[in-house]
Amino acid sequence: MPDHPTGAPVATPSPTGRAAAVERLLTSVGNPALERLAQLASRLLGTAASQVSLLSDVQTVGAAAGAAVGSTGVRTPLHDSVCTVTARLGEPLVVPDAAADGRLRDIDAVSDGRVRAYLGVPLVGKDGLVVGALCVYDEQVRQWSTDDVLVLTDLAAAAVAELELSALAVEYEADRVRWQLAVTAGGVGTFDWDLESGVLEWDDLLQSLFGLTPGEFGGTIEAFTACVHPDDRARVGEALDEAIATCAEYRAEYRVVWPDGTVHWIKARGMALPGADGAAARVLGAAYDTTVEREADARISRVLETMSSAFFLLDDEWRFSYVNAEAERVLGSTRAEMLGGVIWELFPLSVGSAFEEHYRGAAREGEPRTFEAYYPPPLDGWYEVRAWPGPDGLSVYFHDISARRKAEEQRVAARTAAEDTRNRLALLATVSDDLSSTLDTEYAVGRLARHLVRHFGSWCLVTLWDEQRHLRDIAGWHADPGLRPTVARYAQLRLGSLSRTSFLHRALRTGELVVVPAATTAVSQLLEGEARDVFESLAPRTGYAVPMRARGRVVGAVTLFLDDSQPDLGEEDLALLVQVADRAGVALDNARLYESQRGIAETLQRALLTAPAEPDDLHVVVRYVPAAQAAQVGGDWYDAFLQPDGATILVIGDVMGHDRHAAAAMSQVRTLLRGIAATTGGSPAEVLSGLDAALETLRVDAMATAVVARLEQTPEERAAGLTRVRWSNAGHLPPLVVHPDGSVAPLRAPQAEMVLGVAPGAERSDSLITVPRGSTVLLYTDGLVERRGEHLQAGLDRLAALVEEVVPEARARAATPGELDAAHLADELLRRSLPDAPDDDVALLVVHLGVQDT
């Protein structure tokens, strides 16, 4: 992910502070300028949709474009928003494939396919608080470039400015707007110009639009002209003259200068009406203030002017209606030369080219086009172009990629001229595939002998050198199938026969390539007995001992031999041979580190999970299964302990993440929960609320799901063989209760509640159920039920069915009739649910409420 382009500090607001900051900005929801910025973001980045989100205790869509049109003003929960992740991150969130991103894959918009590629930039308010996010997204996987991030960052800054300006405008103009609305709902002034008498009448509202008080206007066309900005007078006069001459419609938008010197924009529309002789006798019309719209357009224009990418806008007649500064530079023409001109006339070589094909296709079909094309001299360059049709015409966003194309052409030429290089790369790719396609690295390295023989020599041996300095030949190969048994026999004999001065030992000691000319004679002198006879029957001419190195140590060696039919290896071949050997060495060392790290990770995770409390009347069984990937310790945990009043607390939880940081955060969260529950004696909901507050106060950077359940019993309930299960769920999967009759039911709260670490202060509630003794409660984490490409509910249903299947077995194995073997139930659930190499860690807590002696 690129660095934060703005470099600006981002404050982490309290929920109250952010809510207040966002509340004052909500007046901008639906702001046309904000909508234009959203449209511009989608258009410039070529995405299906864009959205401005404001985040308080909910997400409010402030503006939307593309596929998101119609969602402006819609409010959704924070936990169901990708923009919440962007705001929490505090810097651009760049996601080529949201479905593969652990932070996003469970959000509805991602899981249902509406959001696949996502690029979001936080909106940082004037106080440094993150108030929302500007994002673009698509339904297809996409790689985002640094330019894309910079463009969206520029637009995000403009969006924040627009939000702040709009909020200030609302605050500043509130009283005046209320007064205006009381005077007139339309805000439109009218005029009537009698061409015979020359009298020009304005109503009071129109006079106010020109900054005049009622009765202050002079009542003549000269008085009107004096109010118009000097630079616009000729244009307005021409529009009036043409309307009068043709008895036609009059339209004009112009600036007026108020008596206080301020400049405002007015849009006027009217009609010249004929008299008895057919000539125009009067002009009637109306006008209204467009200053706000003009200022919004000017702000967007400033954004376009500061962009590092070229941009121009073509109207419906293929005329340039806007050109930014970068487009002037790239196209080699000034704005004055292009504005109003037809693109096919100004750039005639584009006619019949890919440019015309895609521009006209985008306009005709109403769909954006992205393409690369070459324009001949005088431009003489390659361009990457995005053409986006819209209500204002065709927006074209492009940049010069000539340097990139030239580099690509040079690479193609180099590949064409270097067939040997391609073969070497193919060998490296094949070796890499072998080394990465299996966890049995020794087997993969053993296959290396075949590849080396195929590309370099006659026969080969691969030798490992472990940490105890023991040598072991793990593979051998010969190009002649008839001699492969001979090579295999030599591999069995040679290590016990070679002296420590041999070329193999020298390569292992020095870590350098050793070349052995006249190999049959040279090596035979170092061997004795059958080993020498077998070697001489292979009769190699030249030998090479290549150490396999990794992280400053030698882990083995490749011994390659050539017979008389093959020339000695050149410098490039030897360099490739060393590179292949080193790659194999790294794979072997990675395998060693993998096993070491996995052992450390599992030991760490288990050390963090203490043995559960187990009162006399309960049978508590806990299980933890780590993920298959090395160091994937994750944040799953379980707990069972007693509160001061004797009630048993059961906990299952999952801190988001899969690394040692997640495990450390899990330890903090688990310890805090234990302490709060033990010292307060509170209910599950009170414990979770206290934990949420503690996480916020202590600034523990963690988000977690959890279920806290308390087993309660009065003397009367004990006598009746009943137990109350009181629980509260913070966004976790529902526990299961197995009744004495073997039926299984989920423990679901009336409504879902927020995960921990997202919204401190969120209301939490307890749920209560009474169960008979002999029941069993199961708490588990998502690794037990989640499968890639499968809906979560399918996994929950599968678990419930499996529990019903295993419970009779567990009852049959119990030592006491009517009881249940909880350990068998836990072990069978794990065995039948998990693959050999699980992707996620799993925590499981099974509590059987034994039948009490009353």
Side-chain angles (χ1 to χ4, degrees):
M1 182 178 294
D3 293 336
H4 197 325
T6 64
V10 178
T12 301
S14 67
T16 302
R18 181 164 66 188
V22 173
E23 185 65 31
R24 65 183 290 273
L25 301 178
L26 289 176
T27 56
S28 298
V29 172
N31 184 325
L34 205 59
E35 295 283 358
R36 290 190 189 97
L37 279 170
Q39 294 168 5
L40 187 60
S42 182
R43 180 184 304 162
L44 294 183
L45 297 179
T47 61
S50 64
Q51 181 173 303
V52 178
S53 298
L54 299 176
L55 306 173
S56 54
D57 54 343
V58 296
Q59 171 184 269
T60 302
V61 178
V69 165
S71 62
T72 300
V74 172
R75 296 189 172 196
T76 53
L78 291 177
H79 67 81
D80 198 31
S81 164
V82 181
C83 289
T84 300
V85 180
T86 303
R88 180 175 295 278
L89 188 63
E91 61 182 31
L93 177 59
V94 182
V95 182
D97 185 357
D101 193 305
R103 300 167 296 182
L104 310 180
R105 66 165 66 101
D106 293 332
I107 295 174
D108 287 348
V110 176
S111 61
D112 65 16
R114 285 177 288 155
V115 176
R116 194 68 182 270
Y118 175 90
L119 174 60
V121 176
L123 300 178
V124 182
K126 64 178 183 179
D127 297 325
L129 300 179
V130 176
V131 297
L134 170 62
C135 70
V136 294
Y137 56 90
D138 220 322
E139 295 180 354
Q140 304 297 324
V141 174
R142 167 177 174 170
Q143 295 297 325
W144 303 100
S145 68
T146 300
D147 284 348
D148 293 337
V149 178
L150 292 173
V151 168
L152 195 62
T153 301
D154 289 343
L155 294 176
V160 171
E162 182 58 42
L163 287 166
E164 292 291 348
L165 287 171
S166 182
L168 288 173
V170 169
E171 295 165 1
Y172 180 79
E173 295 289 328
D175 291 338
R176 187 180 69 83
V177 169
R178 282 194 293 272
W179 175 80
Q180 274 189 319
L181 291 176
V183 174
T184 174
V188 177
T190 61
F191 61 87
D192 182 354
W193 183 20
D194 187 326
L195 297 178
E196 294 182 7
S197 66
V199 175
L200 177 57
E201 296 182 356
W202 286 3
D203 64 10
D204 291 347
L205 182 55
L206 185 58
Q207 293 186 65
S208 71
L209 296 179
F210 279 70
L212 305 175
T213 58
E216 188 177 354
F217 177 59
T220 66
I221 192 64
E222 290 77 17
F224 161 68
T225 303
C227 295
V228 176
H229 192 284
D231 292 343
D232 296 344
R233 289 172 183 170
R235 179 169 52 81
V236 173
E238 290 173 0
L240 278 170
D241 291 343
E242 183 177 354
I244 292 170
T246 59
C247 285
E249 185 180 28
Y250 157 66
R251 289 188 180 186
E253 187 170 11
Y254 49 85
R255 291 165 291 177
V256 297
V257 182
W258 282 20
D260 62 4
T262 59
V263 176
H264 299 257
W265 280 90
I266 299 293
K267 179 174 284 188
R269 185 172 180 175
M271 180 66 71
L273 303 177
D277 60 356
R282 65 193 309 170
V283 179
L284 294 176
Y288 58 94
D289 192 302
T290 60
T291 304
V292 173
E293 295 178 15
R294 280 286 184 165
E295 289 178 347
D297 290 341
R299 284 193 290 272
I300 292 178
S301 179
R302 287 194 293 273
V303 171
L304 292 172
E305 287 301 313
T306 57
M307 285 194 332
S308 59
S309 298
F311 174 82
F312 60 78
L313 181 65
L314 300 172
D315 64 18
D316 293 340
E317 297 179 351
W318 302 103
R319 299 180 183 276
F320 286 97
S321 58
Y322 180 82
V323 180
N324 76 351
E326 180 64 10
E328 285 186 288
R329 186 192 68 80
V330 174
L331 297 178
S333 299
T334 66
R335 211 169 307 204
E337 293 170 334
M338 288 187 283
L339 288 178
V342 176
I343 185 173
W344 318 123
E345 297 173 358
L346 295 177
F347 297 92
L349 296 178
S350 63
V351 176
S353 70
F355 294 97
E356 182 180 25
E357 175 190 349
H358 287 289
Y359 290 169
R360 292 190 183 277
R364 180 178 62 254
E365 298 167 7
E367 296 291 335
R369 296 282 187 98
T370 300
F371 63 96
E372 294 180 4
Y374 172 75
Y375 195 94
L379 298 184
D380 190 21
W382 278 90
Y383 301 92
E384 181 181 53
V385 186
R386 294 176 184 170
W388 193 282
D392 299 323
L394 186 68
S395 298
V396 179
Y397 162 70
F398 64 103
H399 61 276
D400 191 328
I401 59 169
S402 299
R404 191 192 80 194
R405 292 287 300 214
K406 182 177 180 180
E408 290 175 354
E409 291 171 358
Q410 290 173 343
R411 285 195 294 271
V412 170
R415 286 196 299 269
T416 302
E419 185 66 30
D420 290 341
T421 300
R422 287 203 299 274
N423 290 336
R424 287 192 288 271
L425 292 175
L427 171 61
L428 288 174
T430 302
V431 171
S432 297
D433 287 344
D434 276 353
L435 295 175
S436 61
S437 62
T438 175
L439 293 177
D440 189 349
T441 310
E442 284 194 17
Y443 170 76
V445 172
R447 288 174 55 87
L448 181 65
R450 305 185 186 188
H451 300 308
L452 295 179
V453 169
R454 185 179 303 117
H455 284 269
F456 295 112
S458 303
W459 59 284
C460 178
L461 291 172
V462 178
T463 308
L464 294 188
W465 197 25
D466 61 25
E467 293 179 345
Q468 287 73 40
R469 294 298 185 259
H470 295 152
L471 293 176
R472 179 162 54 94
D473 282 331
I474 63 169
W477 195 255
H478 200 292
D480 183 351
L483 291 175
R484 287 170 192 169
T486 306
V487 172
R489 181 56 181 163
Y490 177 64
Q492 294 173 347
L493 299 170
R494 72 156 183 166
L495 293 180
S497 180
L498 276 175
S499 70
R500 293 191 175 274
T501 61
S502 72
F503 66 93
L504 173 62
H505 289 85
R506 188 160 71 250
L508 292 171
R509 285 195 308 271
T510 64
E512 299 294 335
L513 168 71
V514 176
V515 181
V516 185
T520 300
T521 302
V523 176
S524 294
Q525 296 174 355
L526 303 174
L527 296 170
E528 53 186 43
E530 184 184 356
R532 180 171 57 193
D533 296 339
V534 172
F535 182 78
E536 289 177 346
S537 70
L538 292 168
R541 179 177 52 80
T542 305
Y544 302 90
V546 188
M548 295 188 292
R549 301 168 296 193
R551 300 177 178 90
R553 58 189 292 266
V554 177
V555 298
V558 171
T559 311
L560 179 72
F561 294 98
L562 283 64
D563 61 23
D564 290 333
S565 65
Q566 294 176 306
D568 290 344
L569 300 181
E571 291 185 3
E572 290 186 355
D573 286 333
L574 288 175
L576 178 61
L577 184 59
V578 170
Q579 186 177 1
V580 170
D582 284 345
R583 189 163 297 192
V586 171
L588 285 168
D589 203 47
N590 284 344
R592 178 184 63 82
L593 293 175
Y594 170 87
E595 292 302 327
S596 174
Q597 291 180 11
R598 191 168 188 272
I600 293 172
E602 185 172 350
T603 301
L604 171 63
Q605 182 79 15
R606 294 188 184 281
L608 296 174
L609 300 174
T610 57
E614 190 170 13
D616 293 340
D617 56 347
L618 298 179
H619 185 195
V620 181
V621 173
V622 294
R623 294 290 186 267
Y624 174 75
V625 179
Q629 187 173 345
Q632 285 283 326
V633 282
D636 291 16
W637 90 92
Y638 55 76
D639 211 345
F641 55 89
L642 299 179
Q643 285 187 303
D645 62 359
T648 300
I649 291 291
L650 308 176
V651 182
I652 197 78
D654 184 359
V655 172
M656 297 182 185
H658 294 89
D659 53 28
R660 273 168 274 193
H661 298 294
M666 176 273 284
S667 178
Q668 291 179 284
V669 174
R670 178 178 182 269
T671 302
L672 286 172
L673 188 150
R674 267 186 155 237
I676 292 168
T679 56
T680 65
S683 72
E686 292 169 342
V687 170
L688 288 175
S689 295
L691 177 58
D692 234 346
L695 293 176
E696 174 71 11
T697 301
L698 299 176
R699 298 188 179 278
V700 177
D701 185 16
M703 295 173 62
T705 64
V707 173
V708 177
R710 185 166 73 172
L711 305 182
E712 306 169 350
Q713 193 177 54
T714 64
E716 293 77 14
E717 289 169 331
R718 181 179 181 85
L722 299 175
T723 297
R724 279 174 289 125
V725 181
R726 187 185 306 273
W727 81 93
S728 184
N729 191 328
H732 200 80
L733 299 177
L736 297 179
V737 60
V738 183
H739 296 290
D741 63 1
S743 61
V744 178
L747 296 182
R748 295 188 185 275
Q751 62 182 16
E753 296 185 357
M754 191 74 71
V755 301
L756 297 166
V758 173
E763 183 177 351
R764 299 195 180 278
S765 59
D766 287 319
S767 298
L768 183 66
I769 184 175
T770 300
V771 299
R773 304 299 296 189
S775 299
T776 303
V777 179
L778 286 85
L779 298 93
Y780 53 92
T781 55
D782 55 7
L784 188 63
V785 296
E786 284 189 343
R787 299 293 180 270
R788 289 181 181 175
E790 179 182 75
H791 195 281
L792 178 60
Q793 187 58 49
L796 295 174
D797 294 342
R798 182 176 57 252
L799 176 62
L802 182 57
V803 171
E804 289 185 345
E805 177 184 325
V806 177
V807 162
E809 302 173 14
R811 292 197 186 281
R813 293 174 60 92
T816 304
E819 298 291 3
L820 178 143
D821 187 340
H824 178 77
L825 176 59
D827 291 338
E828 285 301 301
L829 290 179
L830 293 174
R831 186 181 69 83
R832 302 184 194 185
S833 297
L834 299 182
D836 293 336
D839 294 331
D840 198 1
D841 53 344
V842 178
L844 176 62
L845 177 60
V846 179
V847 181
H848 178 65
L849 285 64
V851 179
Q852 296 170 332
D853 184 6
T854 57

